[in-house]
Amino acid sequence: QVQLVESGGGLVQAGGSLRLSCAASKRTFATYAMAWFRQAPGKEREFVAAISRDGGTRDYADSVKGRFTMSTDNAKNTLYLQMNNLNPKDTAVYCCAAKRANFGNTYTDPLSYDYWGQGTQVTVSS
């Protein structure tokens, strides 16, 4: 079992940056694969980014590739999502998720994840 808490969301103008944090209640390195998803009002949950259990494999959705970057601080059990050049289409509630299974072929599927944070709101104004 692991509990996840996101933070770092807020209001930012288009072109700005935010860094989201996902703090885990226990060490996740080598144990859990991690991911970020987002959901805008009236829209389906969307895959954003994922990182394998050992951090060696990372993937990003095409919509954020080149703008968003994940990083980790294993000593703090924290996963970060640096978001640059934000645009209004990035407005959503962002959630982090974890699962014991490694990537396989399911890492973009939210149903494959076992643990979820409460989400943090990101609002980008034009």
Side-chain angles (χ1 to χ4, degrees):
Q1 299 287 330
V2 61
Q3 295 180 351
L4 308 173
V5 179
E6 304 96 333
S7 62
L11 175 64
V12 65
Q13 293 187 353
S17 299
L18 287 172
R19 188 177 73 162
L20 305 183
S21 299
C22 175
S25 61
K26 61 189 294 185
R27 186 176 183 88
T28 57
F29 180 74
T31 305
Y32 297 91
M34 304 286 292
W36 289 96
F37 292 84
R38 66 186 183 185
Q39 187 168 21
K43 297 184 178 181
E44 296 182 358
R45 186 162 45 187
E46 178 186 21
F47 168 76
V48 177
I51 183 170
S52 61
R53 290 185 299 193
D54 63 359
T57 302
R58 308 181 184 201
D59 191 34
Y60 299 86
D62 289 340
S63 60
V64 307
K65 193 170 298 182
R67 299 188 298 120
F68 291 10
T69 303
M70 288 181 293
S71 61
T72 62
D73 186 335
N74 293 328
K76 297 181 179 179
N77 298 328
T78 300
L79 173 71
Y80 300 99
L81 182 68
Q82 179 67 45
M83 306 186 297
N84 297 326
N85 194 24
L86 288 162
N87 63 69
K89 294 182 179 180
D90 296 316
T91 294
V93 174
Y94 285 71
C95 295
C96 63
K99 62 178 179 178
R100 287 189 174 272
N102 216 350
F103 271 15
N105 296 318
T106 66
Y107 63 90
T108 62
D109 183 1
L111 297 178
S112 72
Y113 290 84
D114 304 306
Y115 309 103
W116 292 83
Q118 84 289 348
T120 185
Q121 176 71 49
V122 172
T123 302
V124 184
S125 62
S126 60

